[in-house]
Amino acid sequence: MKRLRGVILDVDGTLVDSNDAHTSAWVEALQRGGYNVPREKVRRLIGMGADNLLPEAITVEKDSEEGKRLSDWWREIFTADYLPKLKAFPKTRELLEKMRENRLKLVVASSAEAEMLETLLDIARVADLVESKTSSDDAENSKPEPDIVKAALDRLGMGANEVLMLGDTPYDIEAAGKLGIGVIALRCGGFTDVDLERAVAIYDDPEDLLKKYDKSPLAGQ
């Protein structure tokens, strides 16, 4: 790997404690549509966009009339009932400040919609620290497909061997891996070490990574 120059950042479950909220909103939206999907099944799909989550959960395509209706209900429920209550993980801003102090360029690669992503970055208090951001609006397919990560890499203007990604799901690892990008994984998204085993390193949360920064892959060690 060349000298590390940039970091691609996931947001949900990585910087903001939102994965359980996304799960609840999806379960409620699906129930409204008459689908009783076990919460555990939905929880394991969080990190995918609706284009992948809906077919996996109930074999419904996002672009179908049913898929659009369910997605609209999810957005309505999440925005009204959960988004206002979300909080960033401890030391999230401080971690990104440390990266910037080390002259790393930061770009966001999120499966969230653009408008919602802006709110999430405000919750994390990091909007001013990122060079650019890519969302589901910038890609045809969501994670675990590499489209969003590729868009972020293009924004950085760097090679895959000059960047790392910070994420919390196996879908981050799979998407980045298809481009040859290593992922530092955080357990705070709710996935196990077995789920995250293909990561280059695993930490508890942003605070844990910040504490161990100097011996982490971010420091080139």
Side-chain angles (χ1 to χ4, degrees):
M1 182 175 179
K2 289 186 178 180
R3 182 180 67 84
L4 184 66
R5 298 177 57 212
V7 178
I8 298 172
L9 302 164
D10 176 60
V11 177
D12 281 299
T14 300
L15 307 182
V16 177
D17 189 1
S18 56
N19 284 357
D20 285 339
H22 280 297
T23 302
S24 296
W26 271 118
V27 169
E28 291 174 35
L30 291 168
Q31 287 176 340
R32 189 183 294 185
Y35 301 95
N36 291 310
V37 183
R39 181 181 178 86
E40 296 75 19
K41 181 176 181 177
V42 175
R43 184 63 176 79
R44 290 197 59 80
L45 300 175
I46 298 302
M48 294 182 174
D51 60 319
N52 287 314
L53 184 149
L54 285 172
E56 288 283 340
I58 56 171
T59 65
V60 167
E61 296 298 323
K62 179 189 176 185
D63 291 335
S64 67
E65 288 302 313
E66 180 73 347
K68 290 175 182 176
R69 181 162 51 248
L70 291 166
S71 295
D72 287 345
W73 284 339
W74 163 78
R75 187 181 304 104
E76 172 192 318
I77 293 165
F78 183 78
T79 302
D81 297 341
Y82 295 100
L83 187 60
K85 303 173 185 176
L86 296 182
K87 296 183 178 180
F89 289 109
K91 302 297 182 181
T92 288
R93 180 175 176 85
E94 290 85 348
L95 174 61
L96 269 62
E97 287 176 334
K98 179 75 170 179
M99 295 181 193
R100 289 292 300 266
E101 288 170 10
N102 282 266
R103 299 184 179 180
L104 296 176
K105 291 189 175 182
L106 310 179
V107 63
V108 167
S110 171
S111 294
E113 298 168 353
E115 184 176 351
M116 191 176 294
L117 178 58
E118 295 290 344
T119 302
L120 291 168
L121 292 175
D122 287 341
I123 291 169
R125 300 188 305 113
V126 298
D128 60 314
L129 299 177
V130 300
E131 300 276 336
S132 184
K133 45 195 174 290
T134 58
S135 66
S136 60
D137 297 18
D138 300 301
E140 183 174 347
N141 302 299
S142 71
K143 302 168 191 172
E145 296 306 313
D147 304 28
I148 295 171
V149 181
K150 177 64 164 61
L153 185 64
D154 290 344
R155 296 279 179 89
L156 283 172
M158 299 174 187
N161 60 349
E162 297 177 288
V163 305
L164 288 171
M165 182 170 179
L166 185 64
D168 68 294
T169 75
Y171 314 118
D172 293 317
I173 297 169
E174 184 176 347
K178 290 174 180 176
L179 301 171
I181 297 172
V183 175
I184 297 173
L186 301 181
R187 299 183 181 97
C188 51
F191 287 86
T192 69
D193 284 14
V194 173
D195 296 323
L196 306 173
E197 64 183 357
R198 292 168 56 202
V200 299
I202 305 175
Y203 298 89
D204 289 339
D205 52 24
E207 184 174 18
D208 185 39
L209 176 53
L210 179 61
K211 287 178 181 177
K212 300 170 182 175
Y213 189 99
D214 291 341
K215 293 186 178 180
S216 78
L218 293 174
Q221 297 184 29

